[in-house]
Amino acid sequence: MANQQDGLKEVQEILGKADIAILTTVSLDGQLVSRPLALHGKDFDGDLWFFTEDPSPKADEIRANPQVNVSASTGKGYVSIAGTATLSKDQSKIDELWGPSVSAWFENGRDDPAVALLHVDAHTAEYWSMDAPRVVSAVKMVKGLVTGSKPSSGKNEVIELP
């Protein structure tokens, strides 16, 4: 269980430094669609929150197939989260997460009828964390290419989330 806790801390560190995540949904015709969204409520505990418009193609895709993937990267590493998405118009949660960066997207502010939250209930997270600065990791990669050995650039784990 300690490994699970350590893994969760790694995921929290990566997400805590990320401003933007890539959300992947399945389109109504079965194609994967990815788009950037700003992360809100960065204290990751298994839930991810994004503002979105509803109605929108993204909202329609989530209603038709709620299985999504969210990925993010920073200088600390990369994370890929698989989960189930739902849409919410819970005004208290909207008020809690609302900020100046969101206002630009909704001309009528937080009372705009199109304002919705996209909630991702994470099931698993796979992370790759860097154990050295990027320059050192790049040197290890080049060394691996030259010597034919596999470079060691950090940890890679999959964790189950509650």
Side-chain angles (χ1 to χ4, degrees):
M1 198 62 151
N3 196 18
Q4 204 63 3
Q5 290 285 49
D6 292 344
L8 183 57
K9 284 182 183 178
E10 293 281 350
V11 170
Q12 288 169 333
E13 273 190 49
I14 295 166
L15 287 174
K17 294 182 186 326
D19 293 322
I20 302 294
I22 304 297
L23 171 77
T24 302
T25 58
V26 179
S27 70
L28 299 180
D29 63 357
Q31 300 296 310
L32 295 175
V33 180
S34 298
R35 54 190 57 88
L37 293 173
L39 281 163
H40 297 278
K42 291 188 182 185
D43 295 331
F44 180 70
D45 59 0
D47 294 317
L48 294 169
W49 295 93
F50 305 94
F51 279 93
T52 191
E53 288 185 278
D54 186 14
S56 70
K58 182 182 341 134
D60 293 342
E61 291 165 4
I62 289 166
R63 283 189 188 90
N65 184 345
Q67 298 305 306
V68 298
N69 183 271
V70 177
S71 61
S73 68
T74 67
K76 174 69 181 142
Y78 307 90
V79 66
S80 175
I81 296 170
T84 305
T86 54
L87 297 161
S88 170
K89 293 207 176 194
D90 177 336
Q91 194 61 48
S92 65
K93 192 67 174 177
I94 289 170
D95 291 343
E96 175 190 332
L97 297 174
W98 192 267
S101 64
V102 182
S103 301
W105 295 98
F106 298 97
E107 72 178 58
N108 295 318
R110 69 181 78 195
D111 297 323
D112 190 314
V115 172
L117 288 171
L118 191 161
H119 169 240
V120 177
D121 176 22
H123 303 297
T124 63
E126 182 168 7
Y127 68 90
W128 297 263
S129 65
M130 306 283 193
D131 62 358
R134 275 192 221 189
V135 172
V136 175
S137 294
V139 169
K140 288 180 180 182
M141 188 76 68
V142 170
K143 181 181 174 186
L145 288 171
V146 171
T147 64
S149 63
K150 183 177 178 182
S152 170
S153 60
K155 289 189 273 182
N156 171 229
E157 301 283 337
V158 176
I159 59 170
E160 299 289 323
L161 298 163

